Amino acid sequence: MAKETTVSLPAPELNAYVSSPSGPRAKETTFREWVVDNQIGISMTIFSMLLALHNLYPSLRPYTQPFFELSYYDAAGDYYVQGWDDVYFVFSVVLALNAVRAIAMDWILYPFARSAGLKRKGCIRFAEQGWQTIYYSGIWALGLYLWKNSYYWWDFSALWDEWPARPLSGLMKWYLLVELGFLIQQIFVIHIEEQRKDHYQMLSHHIITSVLLSSAYVYGFYNVSNVVLCLMDVVDFLLPFAKILKYLGFMNACNVAFGVFMATWVLTRHYLYNVLWWSIYQNVPDRMAYGCYSRATGELISEDGYPRSFGYLFTPFQDLNGPILHEQHDQGLSVVWFRLIARIAYGVVCGNDAEDVRSDEEDEVENDEAAPNAPVLLAAKEGVSVPPIANDVATGPDHRRTNGSGSVRARGRGRGRVPFDQSDRKALLGRIGCDKPT
């Protein structure tokens, strides 16, 4: 009979390793890694429980139905309005996206990358960028369809005509709630993956964007949200698509895709978005009279309905059916929100935190034969940041991160940051995956 040997470990190592009578020490799975490995099962289990309650107990359907269907439908007018039950639908969206993302990355994108001859690290990156391309291209196409078939197509001044009327179509409501659910799901993702150097920048980006979109939804700025999301989402799938071309070895196509990305970025985020921002000053005073409006009818009921204080901004959150005020302060708040988002986007993209911005807190040595569920351990929405791909070549595989269960860690004292020269064109192309410029 083999005799078990007890190994004394320092306190920080007690939760990381366990003794084994038949082999070397094995790394114990942490709670975070367990959640990552069981994302599909957790999401599907919760969905199954809700469906069981919904079908087996009819008396509970008023409480379970908001998880599966859009709420607040007016059959007489054939439209929807917003309400607090929409929170349950957003919760379901978060669960669904989490499961779909894990399935797409683990079962489709990662195996496809393997069959294309990519090594494990390349498969992980391919799966990350592939999921972003799938989601953003689909949601952008839907948003563009809604914008194209609206009365405000390429007419920013018309965005302010029907405010603050609450009715919206079912497709528009679904679109906005899915976008909000995706942002919240990304907050969850960056907490279950191993922390990266830009963790807090991306966390603040997702939180601020979620607050802005939910506030616009409560205030009834559906049309503005639709246009802004269309302008933002288009570049969020063009950049990952360029990286996918690089991973597959189509370098000339990658260069062309990156050029399209840069041109689209300038057009949408530096021109059209500024035109929309300028419309607040140019068109809002003429199209939206200052005063207090009725949420039910959208009519102006008073030119000075509330005390002039900052507290009135939170009134729509307290009573969705109550009156809503429009004052000059609203425009100032819109400018503040715009500046916050623009500064975050500019800082991440232009390299203020550009030294290997999406790598781990610590360097690691990777094993190329890691488990195939590795991509889910790494992936997270990058917002407007540009992940470094050139650093994979500069530092070599022995200094890059891995999240797979087969990784072998080599922890060092330093963080191993690699400075990024903004004047180096080749380095710039390398950061987005096009390290062979034409």
Side-chain angles (χ1 to χ4, degrees):
M1 176 180 296
K3 182 178 179 181
E4 180 176 351
T5 302
T6 303
V7 180
S8 298
L9 298 173
E13 300 291 334
L14 290 179
N15 292 329
Y17 297 95
V18 294
S19 60
S20 173
S22 59
R25 295 182 303 179
K27 184 178 182 295
E28 186 178 81
T29 301
T30 64
F31 176 75
R32 177 191 58 79
E33 292 171 338
W34 177 84
V35 172
V36 171
D37 290 338
N38 295 276
Q39 289 183 82
I40 301 174
I42 293 173
S43 301
M44 299 306 296
T45 298
I46 297 176
F47 262 121
S48 299
M49 293 173 60
L50 291 172
L51 283 171
L53 292 174
H54 184 76
N55 293 315
L56 298 177
Y57 300 94
S59 61
L60 296 179
R61 288 181 182 177
Y63 305 99
T64 58
Q65 188 168 349
F67 287 97
F68 307 106
E69 299 180 9
L70 297 175
S71 303
Y72 305 107
Y73 176 66
D74 188 330
D78 190 24
Y79 60 78
Y80 289 85
V81 296
Q82 81 276 54
W84 290 115
D85 282 353
D86 295 335
V87 174
Y88 303 112
F89 188 82
V90 173
F91 175 78
S92 294
V93 170
V94 173
L95 288 178
L97 287 175
N98 205 59
V100 172
R101 173 178 173 273
I103 291 172
M105 294 181 65
D106 280 356
W107 298 356
I108 301 175
L109 297 171
Y110 191 90
F112 177 82
R114 273 295 192 187
S115 66
L118 275 68
K119 294 186 177 180
R120 186 182 57 82
K121 185 189 300 182
C123 293
I124 292 171
R125 300 302 184 190
F126 182 92
E128 289 180 358
Q129 306 306 321
W131 165 247
Q132 292 190 49
T133 302
I134 292 172
Y135 172 79
Y136 279 115
S137 60
I139 203 68
W140 176 78
L142 175 59
L144 187 64
Y145 170 81
L146 291 168
W147 186 12
K148 177 65 173 63
N149 292 276
S150 68
Y151 65 89
Y152 51 89
W153 173 247
W154 288 114
D155 185 3
F156 291 163
S157 63
L159 289 171
W160 322 104
D161 287 345
E162 296 186 1
W163 189 86
R166 294 179 61 190
L168 74 165
S169 67
L171 187 59
M172 176 67 80
K173 181 170 184 172
W174 187 90
Y175 165 74
L176 295 176
L177 294 182
V178 168
E179 285 275 45
L180 179 58
F182 180 81
L183 292 171
I184 296 174
Q185 188 256 349
Q186 292 308 298
I187 297 176
F188 169 76
V189 166
I190 65 175
H191 280 91
I192 63 172
E193 69 165 2
E194 287 193 7
Q195 185 168 308
R196 300 183 179 185
K197 291 179 181 179
D198 68 338
H199 173 82
Y200 294 105
Q201 290 91 328
M202 295 310 303
L203 177 62
S204 62
H205 165 77
H206 295 318
I207 291 177
I208 292 175
T209 308
S210 300
V211 171
L212 290 176
L213 182 56
S214 58
S215 299
Y217 183 73
V218 170
Y219 271 83
F221 287 107
Y222 318 121
N223 302 336
V224 181
S225 299
N226 176 211
V227 174
V228 171
L229 289 171
C230 282
L231 297 180
M232 297 295 141
D233 288 345
V234 61
V235 297
D236 286 335
F237 76 83
L238 289 177
L239 179 59
F241 180 69
K243 295 180 183 180
I244 288 176
L245 294 175
K246 186 265 180 183
Y247 294 136
L248 296 178
F250 302 111
M251 301 310 303
N252 291 334
C254 172
N255 293 331
V256 172
F258 178 62
V260 174
F261 157 74
M262 288 298 297
T264 306
W265 176 282
V266 173
L267 175 63
T268 57
R269 299 201 177 190
H270 292 282
Y271 175 69
L272 293 177
Y273 191 61
N274 286 329
V275 172
L276 175 61
W277 172 77
W278 178 249
S279 177
I280 298 175
Y281 289 96
Q282 185 178 22
N283 303 123
V284 167
D286 297 331
R287 302 294 184 101
M288 298 169 56
Y290 298 120
C292 184
Y293 289 80
S294 169
R295 296 301 299 273
T297 63
E299 297 179 355
L300 183 66
I301 57 178
S302 173
E303 295 184 357
D304 188 15
Y306 293 151
R308 295 182 177 276
S309 65
F310 187 78
Y312 80 85
L313 291 173
F314 302 97
T315 301
F317 294 92
Q318 300 170 359
D319 183 8
L320 290 171
N321 296 315
I324 186 171
L325 186 66
H326 169 52
E327 288 190 336
Q328 293 182 359
H329 304 299
D330 297 344
Q331 298 182 47
L333 183 63
S334 299
V335 175
V336 171
W337 286 345
F338 164 75
R339 288 177 60 86
L340 287 174
I341 294 297
R343 290 181 63 182
I344 292 174
Y346 183 83
V348 174
V349 172
C350 293
N352 291 339
D353 192 29
E355 309 95 350
D356 202 13
V357 294
R358 292 298 294 164
S359 63
D360 287 324
E361 287 289 343
E362 297 170 336
D363 295 337
E364 297 181 358
V365 178
E366 66 172 334
N367 177 8
D368 188 59
E369 298 301 327
N373 65 347
V376 178
L377 301 174
L378 287 173
K381 175 176 179 293
E382 297 170 351
V384 294
S385 65
V386 183
I389 298 177
N391 288 344
D392 294 355
V393 179
T395 60
D398 291 337
H399 297 281
R400 291 291 297 170
R401 64 182 300 249
T402 176
N403 238 355
S405 58
S407 63
V408 180
R409 296 187 177 184
R411 301 181 182 274
R413 294 178 179 271
R415 298 182 182 270
R417 294 192 174 186
V418 179
F420 173 64
D421 186 1
Q422 295 282 354
S423 64
D424 190 341
R425 180 172 178 266
K426 183 176 180 180
L428 174 60
L429 292 174
R431 283 179 54 77
I432 61 93
C434 303
D435 50 1
K436 297 181 179 179
T438 57

